[in-house]
Amino acid sequence: QCNILSLSLAHWECVLQRATLVRKKLSVRGGGGWRSGTLFCTHFRVAFVPKDSPKRDENTDLVFLEDHDVALASIEKVVAVGASRTKVVTANSTLKFAPEELLLYCKDFQVFCFLFDRLTPDTQVMEMTCAIARAYQPPRPGAVLAFQNSAMGSVEMKQFLSNRQRDTSMNWFEAAADWEAELERTGAVGWRVSGINERFEMAASLPRFNVVPQKVLDTELKNTFAHFSDGRIPRWCWRHPSGADLLRMASFQNDIYHERDDVRNLEALVFGGQRQCVIVELVEEMPTPADIHVARTRLRALCLGDVSLPVAVPDDKWLSTLEGTHWLDHVRCCLRKAAEVSRLLREGHLTVILQEADDRDLNCVVTSLVQVMCDPHCRTVTGFQGLVQKEWVMAGHRFLNRFNYHRDRDKEEAPVFLLFLDCVWQLWAQFPSQFQLTVDYLLALHDSVHLPLFSTFLANCELERSRHTKHLPQCYTPVNGWREGLLPPGPNSLLDPPLPPVWDWALQYSICKRACFIQPRPPAAPRPPVLNGNLNLSKVNRALGSVFLLSHGTFSCPPQLLPWRAGGGATPYRKSHRRAPSAEESPAPERLLRAWNLTDASAPTPHQDPWEPLLPLLLAPCVGLWKECYLRGALQAQPELTSCHLVEQLSQEVQRLKEALAPPSAPKAADSGGERRVQ
Amino acid sequence: MLSGGGGGSGGGGGGAGGGGGAGGGSGGGRSPKPSFVSYVTPEEINLTEKEISRKEKQPDLLQGEVIFCSASPIRKCTQDDFSQRGIFGSLFCTNFRISFISDETQLEEEEGQVFKNKLYGENDIPLTCVDNIYRGFDEKKKLITSGSVRNKYPSKIIIHCKDLRVFQFSLAFAKEEDAKKIFQGIVHHCLEPKSLKCIFAFSYSEKMTFSSENQTKLKTVMFDSMVDWAQEMKRTKGNCKLVSANADFNISTKYIWCWSHHSGCALFKTASLPLMQEDGCSQSYRTYMERYCTCVKTEELPETLPTIQDIQQSYNKFKQFFLVDNTTEFWMSDVKWFSSLENSGWLDIIRQCLTKAVEVVECLENENTNVLIMEEEGSDLCCVISSLVQVMLDPHFRTLEGFQSLVQKEWVAGGHHFLDRCNYLHKDKESPVFLLFLECVWQLLQQYAPAFQFSETYLTVLSDSVDVSVFSTFLFNSPHHRATTIQPVSLLAQKGPLNLPTVWDWSVQFNSAAQDFFTNPLYVEKSRQDKVPRKTFRPKHQRHQSLPSTAFKSSPKKSFFKDETDSLKKMLRVKRISRWLNPTDLTQSTTREFYEAWQRKPLDYHGLLLPCVDGPALRVWAQRYLRWLPEVQIFGGGAMTLEKKLVDLLAEVRELRGKLDWHCSVDFSHRGAAALAGSSVRLSSAFPFFVSRTWSFKPAIPSCLQKNLITGTFADKEDEDSECLGVI
């Protein structure tokens, strides 16, 4: 009974099963070894309460999970290890032996290992195993809802959540003012925030507010949506301090008639304020979401060393197996694309448009990577959160389908966001002192993805997300039939628990864990960017700008690149696959080429310019495996004290010393002053 | 000084004019030292005389160094994927090195040049450091063997160095006879077998007098006297009687079989490495041993570890990935990088050695048995294993001085055939056994950085020093060989015995600022209380007994908990099923248990350290292998930046502490990389070795398709936009 008391149960949480005298294998970071205590299984989590755990402080913030707990929803596989065999336990399987050991393989690469004692009754052990097996696996889409309800379905919890203040230090990109703040921060001129999609009438997957060129009026804008698949028009993302703009869009709708007025507006949209435009296609050379999914699955199998699988990878074949997963290749691919774009942006005075068929997967990866590389602000925790908010959440990455929380979209499942996190880690590993955020932060974000509790990840686009919350001013039902497919099917019961955003870290992590999210000695905040050169807007109207396609590492300008240009009497170009001979179409490529080669003498300054992009090295010896994440669960893992931790320790030491130094110094000064007076 | 080859960014060709007149001006030269035993043909000596007259272009010769031949203009090619750039200069071949002196105005000491070797510069290759010479033509290259060249000379030679540098010299611009001579001279001196006396160290030390103060100043125990051995015994609390007898034996006879003896961490553990050369002797020794020790466990190394030839072959394959002639080649290998690394088997050899060492440690630590490591000659893998065991067990050997003493004890006094293995004389007995040991230590170092007082830079430099034929440490096959070699020379010269510098006298190679890089800023020194002599072993032993996790053998909790060993075994069985099927791997599983048991204990950096040998845990020694490749250097990034931050923080902590006069439990080493402190220079990840001089941004995006750009998809240009070029 007293054990139950030590588990700080929320009122609504009920214990399904309890087992005493259990030992848990501690993680490497937790110091290793075993700890004995009591194991609980509730509707929401598998909780482990160590014997001698200190009483929980009532005043601390509510934390969903405590240090030793694992949420049911993040469990991927339950393996029972008996005296002579191992068995994967599912909801339907019957257990014919009493396991001595229980292994919980989690989706986030953690492995929990519980050891039962001889004195624990066999029935208890078996029931516990079955209880977890039944509870963890959501057999139908509604199970996630049940999980959410058990986590925060109670009245108290709802109240608590609705009273929480949201983090105002980060940019949420929800209101028009947020976008304006971003325009101001980056120093972008010639752009405005358009509210034309405020009711999601124009494009259901786009956010309410989008940044478009100043000179395109909303009325003009309206007609351009149809020219892009899903209505995802070119939208401004970011401005490089050199004056180059980064845009993203979906593929063109080719079977549409281009009216003359439309063409003018489309041109303006594509070129922004610039005369040159480079379209970067993210179809070729890049992994498909399916590729990413396969690679991730293989990586899991390699890193977890699953005991239920018959053959483990021998040590001397480990590296080639790692190569065979192609995960690192995909990581390199994304980083390479982003580095290419960063280098283009560095040259300034052009727009770079990332184009992907639906603009909802790899575009998110590459745009945000470019910004992490180029913008020191995006390497801080708040900046990074804003970035994810801007390029993923608002831009309509299909989190819900890609993570397949409901297990009903197996074909669409692809951890694109996790690939992005790995890319960021690679950058972090190569330039550790350029980041304010830490690996702990990245890990926390990585793990949160597997917890279906956050509004951030539980929707495919802003429209869906706003339906969940009551922030939606009026529930607007679209009139046109074509949008109906976007409505979530079935009863809209998801409205029930108010889902918090993932950025409310206090819900998940205790204050000391959150302290580790920020490097103790962050790089100095950069000066605000100085705009380089003026925009000459009058020039733009004079003639058509030039547009290039960057693919396979070369620039080209295929005639049908902008469909409206190819259509208007330019048919000879299309027939002969020659390049356009006019000077109009191929001006000054040497500038782009130079941006490309970067052998210019101005580059190698010995002192770090904060706006210099972090160009990662992508040769195989430089790309590493994120061991802190993927090898956490490996049975033979070991702690590695890195310089990072030492920096942490030392800066704490500095802090301590400074604190110790501060109070005595004040009286001392007073003393010396007094002495002087006496003399 | 010799740092010529810089200049860099401007691209080659500028200095071509200065290199003219190769054959000009003769006479007036010094004649080579008569004492020098040389293979040089008379005509080469003539050439030497000619060249010496041109004083402005002469390398700064070391004492006793003589130029054999030279040629100019020679173009040193630095190849990237776009263009052949090069620097013109002269190439010299001396009895110590191949040296390239640039014609371009030499840049004065650059900021990053703190880490400069006094003996040879960045464009110098010590003769013993030459690994392979290739003849380059078109895009291909062909290995040159010593016998194969007579009258021909190639237009381009490619030299692969043992420290993994790659040089390309174009001979096409020099006069034909010069080119022929320098080529033949280089091939002759680098590839053909020669006698020990030809090695530069001897002519060097004749001229240099190393003050004995220098020697005594060093704290490294040299293990060349009985006192050293006795003290070591005292330190480790070994079996004193046995030791002194052995030590006496060792020193007095100077017999070729040389063996050393160390005691493990606990009182009654002893491991020995005898040379099993003659059965009678070894038998008598065996009985001798057994009289003193209750039991001896014998480890036959050849049964489980790869042979010397395997090691050599594997390393040859491995290093090819890092000897990069041109970048495109490197990018080609990139696709299959991991599997090709794996195929070379080098990492697996490291793994095997570490595993074997852990097995031995287990015997000493857990079973308290004496271990006898046996090998045919007792001086190759025996040295590796025994010294590894000591590094793992004894924190003393993880300090700088302790490590040097260890090498001195196990390798130098232990009779490792350095001369043969380093292939100074080109006798085909080469094998990187010592490097293998350093590799293993590096793996330990990167897994447990705070436990080591020395840095990876130290290990890298040590591995380089092996190939500089100056140090007595690596010149001989055994102490006996050393004594017999040195003695007659002293008689002839009517001086004291030759005073060869040891490698441990780092001031020969580096100034004190550079030596700061040898210490590890992460090193956690033992706290003061623990420093009471040798107390550490005892508490560790007690802890060892009291911890429940060691209770694998006899678990006190057995009655209470189901024996965790069972389940662990089960997991192992399931996970490592392939291994368990193999009966010889039985020991491996107990080793794994031992490792797991050790792992459960809190990590003590001053206690036993066991390496993790899993697939992902073993890494490539990036600093050593990748330092010369600009493609893989991270500018303004890498671990170096963190280290710099650490140094800054340490300085701050020290300053604050000084202010406060406050004694803290955590005490970090304060030295180390002092040159880093305070500077805001953007460092390369290969910092102390390769300074960002001639670099382009190239590395960022390896795309073999970039050539398409050059071949010109855009022929027509328009300068209209060039006015708005805004470069940050």
Side-chain angles (χ1 to χ4, degrees):
Chain A
Q1 273 307 35
C2 104
N3 273 328
I4 281 203
L5 289 179
S6 67
L7 172 69
S8 50
L9 273 177
H11 306 288
W12 61 90
E13 204 175 358
C14 63
V15 174
L16 293 175
Q17 191 64 43
R18 186 171 66 98
T20 48
L21 297 171
V22 179
R23 276 185 295 171
K24 181 191 179 224
K25 188 181 182 189
L26 292 186
S27 74
V28 174
R29 279 205 139 173
W34 300 84
R35 257 183 112 169
S36 48
T38 314
L39 190 66
F40 299 91
C41 175
T42 75
H43 282 299
F44 168 61
R45 58 180 167 163
V46 176
F48 178 79
V49 179
K51 237 185 210 165
D52 46 355
S53 67
K55 266 271 174 180
R56 201 173 129 184
D57 189 3
E58 292 299 321
N59 296 327
T60 52
D61 265 341
L62 179 131
V63 178
F64 280 151
L65 295 170
E66 281 171 76
D67 290 352
H68 295 283
D69 298 355
V70 49
L72 284 177
S74 62
I75 298 174
E76 167 115 83
K77 194 189 242 178
V78 178
V79 177
V81 181
S84 56
R85 54 189 170 149
T86 58
K87 185 182 161 102
V88 180
V89 191
T90 59
N92 302 325
S93 59
T94 48
L95 206 58
K96 292 196 182 94
F97 62 97
E100 294 173 0
E101 204 170 319
L102 191 62
L103 291 170
L104 305 180
Y105 287 90
C106 298
K107 292 171 192 160
D108 55 7
F109 282 84
Q110 292 194 73
V111 179
F112 287 81
C113 177
F114 297 106
L115 209 62
F116 295 113
D117 178 68
R118 279 188 182 151
L119 294 184
T120 318
D122 280 358
T123 49
Q124 207 180 30
V125 171
M126 287 167 83
E127 274 169 24
M128 172 59 102
T129 311
C130 291
I132 295 175
R134 269 196 305 273
Y136 92 92
Q137 205 176 32
R140 56 183 202 289
V144 170
L145 191 67
F147 173 75
Q148 285 162 0
N149 271 325
S150 65
M152 43 200 172
S154 71
V155 182
E156 296 92 336
M157 192 68 183
K158 280 177 185 170
Q159 210 150 35
F160 173 80
L161 286 175
S162 55
N163 285 340
R164 280 195 79 81
Q165 296 289 319
R166 37 164 50 189
D167 186 358
T168 49
S169 62
M170 63 173 273
N171 196 336
W172 292 77
F173 291 96
E174 281 180 347
D178 294 342
W179 285 97
E180 270 153 17
E182 180 74 354
L183 283 171
E184 196 183 345
R185 188 185 73 81
T186 55
V189 286
W191 300 91
R192 69 181 181 88
V193 181
S194 161
I196 194 170
N197 196 35
E198 195 161 6
R199 296 178 175 231
F200 305 104
E201 286 170 298
M202 295 294 130
S205 63
L206 285 185
R208 288 196 181 88
F209 300 100
N210 295 286
V211 178
V212 293
Q214 215 156 31
K215 59 184 181 213
V216 184
L217 302 176
D218 271 359
T219 46
E220 296 170 332
L221 200 60
K222 239 175 211 171
N223 296 326
T224 59
F225 283 90
H227 293 265
F228 298 89
S229 82
D230 232 358
R232 296 177 71 91
I233 53 165
R235 289 152 297 130
W236 178 89
C237 296
W238 185 68
R239 181 193 206 88
H240 193 277
S242 69
D245 293 301
L246 180 67
L247 277 69
R248 56 187 284 181
M249 65 179 177
S251 59
F252 300 111
Q253 288 283 4
N254 281 326
D255 51 348
I256 198 163
Y257 177 69
H258 302 283
E259 280 179 51
R260 179 171 286 191
D261 283 355
D262 287 355
V263 168
R264 196 173 56 84
N265 293 325
L266 287 169
E267 288 273 328
L269 268 182
V270 167
F271 282 88
Q274 319 280 359
R275 295 214 54 225
Q276 259 185 353
C277 167
V278 176
I279 293 178
V280 182
E281 272 229 313
L282 295 183
V283 183
E284 288 172 87
E285 308 170 68
M286 300 296 278
T288 64
D291 290 340
I292 298 171
H293 181 56
V294 171
R296 184 77 175 184
T297 318
R298 288 194 190 138
L299 184 72
R300 274 185 62 84
L302 173 67
C303 290
L304 283 184
D306 198 330
V307 292
S308 61
L309 297 177
V311 186
V313 180
D315 285 341
D316 53 345
K317 290 280 169 244
W318 207 88
L319 285 177
S320 52
T321 318
L322 177 66
E323 189 179 270
T325 64
H326 292 296
W327 176 259
L328 290 180
D329 290 339
H330 298 334
V331 167
R332 280 203 276 178
C333 242
C334 295
L335 283 169
R336 176 183 308 152
K337 243 328 162 228
E340 283 174 6
V341 174
S342 308
R343 295 202 312 192
L344 274 180
L345 288 171
R346 231 173 65 107
E347 273 307 288
H349 299 288
L350 76 168
T351 53
V352 177
I353 308 188
L354 301 179
Q355 186 174 38
E356 195 198 358
D358 66 353
D359 181 35
R360 295 174 81 170
D361 287 308
L362 288 169
N363 258 5
C364 302
V365 177
V366 178
T367 44
S368 32
L369 274 181
V370 166
Q371 291 171 61
V372 171
M373 282 178 191
C374 297
D375 191 346
H377 175 70
C378 294
R379 291 173 227 144
T380 64
V381 167
T382 50
F384 188 78
Q385 294 184 168
L387 179 72
V388 173
Q389 198 71 21
K390 178 170 70 168
E391 300 297 350
W392 294 82
V393 180
M394 288 300 146
H397 174 67
R398 293 191 199 88
F399 279 111
L400 187 63
N401 294 0
R402 289 298 179 212
F403 289 127
N404 196 13
Y405 288 116
H406 294 302
R407 310 240 167 171
D408 55 352
R409 304 231 175 212
D410 288 345
K411 275 184 189 160
E412 280 182 60
E413 186 172 351
V416 183
F417 185 65
L418 300 181
L419 181 72
F420 164 65
L421 288 184
D422 195 310
C423 293
V424 176
W425 180 82
Q426 301 286 351
L427 282 171
W428 189 94
Q430 293 198 6
F431 303 96
S433 54
Q434 303 289 324
F435 280 80
Q436 186 229 27
L437 55 87
T438 60
V439 171
D440 291 296
Y441 175 79
L442 289 177
L443 264 182
L445 191 53
H446 177 273
D447 294 349
S448 311
V449 163
H450 299 97
L451 213 58
L453 291 179
F454 306 107
S455 62
T456 316
F457 302 129
L458 279 170
N460 284 328
C461 62
E462 193 47 21
L463 173 64
E464 279 182 29
R465 202 170 282 111
S466 59
R467 283 205 183 116
H468 299 174
T469 57
K470 38 200 164 179
H471 295 304
L472 194 71
Q474 290 134 8
C475 215
Y476 178 82
T477 14
V479 189
N480 296 344
W482 60 273
R483 273 189 224 89
E484 271 172 4
L486 289 157
L487 291 171
N492 250 349
S493 48
L494 280 173
L495 277 168
D496 197 20
L499 297 172
V502 70
W503 313 123
D504 196 352
W505 293 112
L507 292 178
Q508 288 188 78
Y509 291 92
S510 57
I511 197 154
C512 45
K513 280 199 170 177
R514 270 179 283 147
C516 297
F517 287 177
I518 294 178
Q519 267 194 24
R521 285 282 164 121
R527 293 164 284 112
V530 184
L531 273 190
N532 200 354
N534 291 328
L535 277 177
N536 198 343
L537 290 171
S538 61
K539 233 179 162 182
V540 183
N541 292 329
R542 206 181 56 193
L544 288 178
S546 49
V547 60
F548 299 95
L549 176 73
L550 172 64
S551 72
H552 286 112
T554 49
F555 295 101
S556 59
C557 32
Q560 61 274 54
L561 186 56
L562 296 180
W564 54 86
R565 283 194 187 180
T571 32
Y573 293 155
R574 235 190 299 171
K575 274 179 187 164
S576 65
H577 282 282
R578 268 185 320 121
R579 229 171 5 85
S582 71
E584 198 59 22
E585 295 258 356
S586 57
E590 89 275 12
R591 194 163 71 90
L592 294 178
L593 284 179
R594 207 191 46 211
W596 197 243
N597 294 325
L598 279 172
T599 40
D600 51 320
S602 68
T605 46
H607 297 274
Q608 181 86 41
D609 173 9
W611 295 97
E612 187 79 14
L614 305 181
L615 296 179
L617 298 184
L618 298 173
L619 287 163
C622 306
V623 177
L625 185 73
W626 189 4
K627 287 189 188 176
E628 292 97 325
C629 180
Y630 305 139
L631 292 176
R632 278 186 287 182
L635 295 169
Q636 274 81 32
Q638 60 167 14
E640 271 179 46
L641 196 125
T642 56
S643 328
C644 243
H645 298 133
L646 269 179
V647 166
E648 221 163 89
Q649 280 176 25
L650 272 176
S651 26
Q652 279 164 13
E653 175 90 4
V654 166
Q655 197 60 38
R656 227 178 37 234
L657 284 167
K658 274 184 178 160
E659 274 163 20
L661 205 58
S665 65
K668 245 182 220 165
D671 279 354
S672 62
E675 277 169 28
R676 227 173 277 141
R677 237 174 277 139
V678 170
Q679 281 168 357
Chain B
M1 296 291 282
L2 301 174
S3 60
S9 57
S26 68
R30 281 177 273 159
S31 58
K33 307 294 170 220
S35 64
F36 182 70
V37 189
S38 143
Y39 275 52
V40 191
T41 56
E43 58 177 14
E44 278 170 322
I45 292 175
N46 284 338
L47 193 94
T48 313
E49 284 173 359
K50 275 184 211 164
E51 286 304 318
I52 279 170
S53 66
R54 298 166 51 208
K55 286 205 169 85
E56 72 281 358
K57 287 183 65 192
Q58 205 169 304
D60 294 330
L61 295 180
L62 298 169
Q63 296 286 324
E65 190 177 358
V66 182
I67 297 177
F68 290 153
C69 49
S70 72
S72 72
I74 300 290
R75 200 174 75 157
K76 181 192 165 203
C77 315
T78 48
Q79 195 177 27
D80 55 41
D81 53 333
F82 283 128
S83 57
Q84 290 267 354
R85 284 185 299 169
I87 307 155
F88 282 92
S90 333
L91 197 60
F92 295 84
C93 178
T94 76
N95 56 349
F96 169 53
R97 59 186 161 172
I98 299 165
S99 178
F100 176 81
I101 307 290
S102 164
D103 285 337
E104 287 174 24
T105 48
Q106 294 176 9
L107 299 173
E108 282 312 303
E109 294 292 292
E110 281 177 46
E111 249 182 308
Q113 279 289 75
V114 279
F115 203 74
K116 193 162 140 42
N117 200 313
K118 288 186 197 170
L119 293 179
Y120 60 101
E122 62 165 353
N123 282 322
D124 297 340
I125 315 159
L127 292 180
T128 42
C129 187
V130 173
D131 195 16
N132 280 316
I133 302 178
Y134 295 90
R135 139 210 334 259
F137 48 89
D138 300 333
E139 295 296 300
K140 288 175 238 160
K141 63 181 187 201
K142 198 179 164 195
L143 183 67
I144 294 170
T145 50
S146 58
S148 67
V149 272
R150 268 293 144 250
N151 289 318
K152 289 181 291 179
Y153 74 93
S155 61
K156 189 158 112 184
I157 52 173
I158 303 169
I159 302 179
H160 285 186
C161 302
K162 286 181 185 166
D163 58 4
L164 300 154
R165 290 180 295 173
V166 174
F167 287 92
Q168 297 189 19
F169 296 113
S170 167
L171 304 181
F173 301 87
K175 272 188 170 176
E176 194 179 323
E177 58 189 297
D178 280 356
K180 199 189 283 179
K181 269 171 199 156
I182 191 93
F183 173 65
Q184 287 177 354
I186 288 174
V187 169
H188 177 84
H189 291 292
C190 295
L191 299 181
E192 277 172 27
K194 49 183 169 181
S195 78
L196 178 60
K197 282 293 157 56
C198 286
I199 284 176
F200 177 65
F202 292 97
S203 40
Y204 181 57
S205 58
E206 261 173 39
K207 300 285 171 264
M208 284 293 260
T209 42
F210 293 96
S211 55
S212 49
E213 296 161 43
N214 241 351
Q215 302 279 353
T216 50
K217 199 174 68 190
L218 300 171
K219 287 183 208 146
T220 309
V221 187
M222 301 302 284
F223 290 94
D224 49 4
S225 70
M226 233 177 100
V227 188
D228 289 347
W229 285 98
Q231 273 181 351
E232 176 71 1
M233 276 314 130
K234 216 167 149 192
R235 192 184 74 79
T236 54
K237 293 195 176 167
N239 189 336
C240 281
K241 191 179 172 189
L242 178 75
V243 164
S244 57
N246 290 338
D248 199 32
F249 191 45
N250 179 19
I251 298 302
S252 60
T253 63
K254 291 213 167 68
Y255 196 60
I256 293 177
W257 88 9
C258 177
W259 51 276
S260 68
H261 174 196
H262 76 275
S263 62
C265 62
L267 280 172
F268 300 104
K269 295 171 192 168
T270 327
S272 350
L273 356 142
L275 179 89
M276 308 299 285
Q277 208 174 43
E278 293 152 45
D279 271 26
C281 289
S282 61
Q283 277 309 314
S284 68
Y285 170 68
R286 193 76 179 277
T287 48
Y288 182 64
M289 276 290 294
E290 276 160 4
R291 218 183 306 153
Y292 285 97
C293 317
T294 42
C295 60
V296 179
K297 186 177 176 184
T298 314
E299 287 275 358
E300 295 268 4
L301 291 185
E303 285 178 5
T304 46
L305 290 181
T307 64
I308 299 300
Q309 290 77 29
D310 289 343
I311 294 173
Q312 169 70 1
Q313 275 170 15
S314 163
Y315 180 67
N316 271 341
K317 270 192 230 161
F318 181 73
K319 76 182 173 197
Q320 287 311 320
F321 301 119
F322 306 99
L323 290 165
V324 178
D325 295 332
N326 56 53
T327 39
T328 39
E329 191 183 299
F330 191 52
W331 287 341
M332 297 294 272
S333 73
D334 181 58
V335 187
K336 289 274 158 211
W337 178 257
F338 287 114
S339 42
S340 28
L341 278 190
E342 193 177 271
N343 286 336
S344 76
W346 178 245
L347 287 177
D348 203 46
I349 288 178
I350 296 170
R351 176 175 296 124
Q352 288 174 30
C353 285
L354 286 170
T355 317
K356 176 56 78 180
V358 172
E359 275 170 34
V360 174
V361 169
E362 188 201 357
C363 292
L364 294 171
E365 180 89 6
N366 252 13
E367 295 166 20
N368 290 18
T369 51
N370 302 297
V371 182
L372 186 66
I373 318 174
M374 284 213 293
E375 196 193 8
E376 198 181 336
E377 286 189 84
S379 60
D380 288 311
L381 288 170
C382 273
C383 297
V384 176
I385 300 300
S386 70
S387 21
L388 271 180
V389 166
Q390 292 173 63
V391 169
M392 289 178 194
L393 280 168
D394 190 344
H396 171 68
F397 293 126
R398 292 174 223 143
T399 63
L400 200 71
E401 279 129 24
F403 184 75
Q404 297 186 162
S405 314
L406 177 73
V407 174
Q408 201 63 31
K409 179 173 73 165
E410 293 296 331
W411 294 81
V412 181
H416 176 63
H417 298 310
F418 274 114
L419 187 64
D420 291 342
R421 298 297 176 227
C422 299
N423 205 20
Y424 283 168
L425 307 180
H426 312 293
K427 280 184 181 161
D428 287 342
K429 285 187 190 168
E430 187 177 5
S431 188
V433 182
F434 187 61
L435 178 66
L436 176 65
F437 165 63
L438 293 182
E439 272 267 17
C440 294
V441 175
W442 182 85
Q443 299 290 347
L444 275 165
L445 174 70
Q446 56 104 14
Q447 287 182 21
Y448 306 102
F452 290 84
Q453 195 195 13
F454 47 87
S455 66
E456 68 166 340
T457 309
Y458 171 79
L459 290 177
T460 309
V461 166
L462 185 56
S463 74
D464 287 347
S465 306
V466 171
D467 300 316
V468 182
S469 54
V470 167
F471 307 109
S472 63
T473 318
F474 307 120
L475 266 185
F476 305 104
N477 276 337
S478 66
H480 173 253
H481 182 215
R482 173 197 168 93
T484 49
T485 315
I486 291 182
Q487 222 52 48
V489 175
S490 68
L491 286 174
L492 281 176
Q494 296 177 339
K495 276 191 274 177
L498 261 188
N499 203 358
L500 294 165
T502 66
V503 71
W504 314 125
D505 186 1
W506 292 109
S507 61
V508 174
Q509 289 191 78
F510 297 99
N511 59 24
S512 60
Q515 284 181 46
D516 280 343
F517 288 103
F518 293 169
T519 48
N520 178 5
L522 305 187
Y523 180 57
V524 186
E525 256 174 276
K526 220 173 289 180
S527 54
R528 298 248 152 32
Q529 294 88 334
D530 285 1
K531 265 192 171 160
V532 191
R534 297 300 108 203
K535 235 174 105 184
T536 35
F537 292 137
R538 220 169 272 275
K540 187 159 65 68
H541 198 62
Q542 282 164 3
R543 184 198 67 177
H544 175 87
Q545 297 292 1
S546 62
L547 263 158
S549 41
T550 26
F552 267 137
K553 303 273 176 279
S554 58
S555 171
K557 288 186 181 170
K558 207 163 190 169
S559 55
F560 195 69
F561 279 113
K562 286 172 190 169
D563 192 3
E564 65 185 37
T565 325
D566 288 345
S567 68
L568 198 82
K569 266 185 188 158
K570 218 170 304 132
M571 284 173 60
L572 285 168
R573 200 181 315 144
V574 182
K575 188 183 175 206
R576 309 269 158 190
I577 202 146
S578 51
R579 290 192 173 165
W580 278 71
L581 292 175
N582 195 340
T584 56
D585 285 342
L586 212 70
T587 49
Q588 210 164 16
S589 62
T590 62
T591 310
R592 227 152 224 289
E593 256 170 51
F594 173 62
Y595 174 74
E596 300 243 322
W598 170 80
Q599 211 195 17
R600 274 155 215 209
K601 289 176 256 178
L603 185 59
D604 175 14
Y605 287 117
H606 298 289
L608 172 66
L609 288 186
L610 294 181
C612 179
V613 293
D614 278 355
L618 289 190
R619 295 188 208 167
V620 174
W621 185 355
Q623 191 192 44
R624 179 175 154 79
Y625 293 107
L626 300 174
R627 59 194 153 150
W628 311 117
L629 301 176
E631 289 82 16
V632 292
Q633 285 179 42
I634 310 163
F635 287 96
M640 219 52 219
T641 55
L642 272 186
E643 203 147 294
K644 183 180 168 305
K645 210 178 230 179
L646 262 185
V647 172
D648 287 348
L649 274 170
L650 280 170
E652 196 174 344
V653 166
R654 192 170 25 164
E655 193 195 315
L656 286 170
R657 251 184 227 160
K659 271 189 202 159
L660 207 62
D661 196 30
W662 202 42
H663 291 285
C664 243
S665 53
V666 214
D667 195 13
F668 294 97
S669 152
H670 291 320
R671 290 188 298 150
L676 284 173
S679 72
S680 60
V681 183
R682 208 167 145 201
L683 299 168
S684 136
S685 57
F687 165 57
F689 291 99
F690 191 90
V691 187
S692 56
R693 173 143 357 117
T694 52
W695 63 287
S696 59
F697 258 118
K698 224 50 260 320
I701 299 168
S703 162
C704 46
L705 293 152
Q706 285 180 354
K707 273 184 187 145
N708 297 350
L709 285 177
I710 290 310
T711 51
T713 20
F714 302 100
D716 38 2
K717 291 177 180 178
E718 196 186 70
D719 295 275
E720 194 189 307
D721 274 24
S722 56
E723 74 224 82
C724 58
L725 300 185
V727 185
I728 319 171

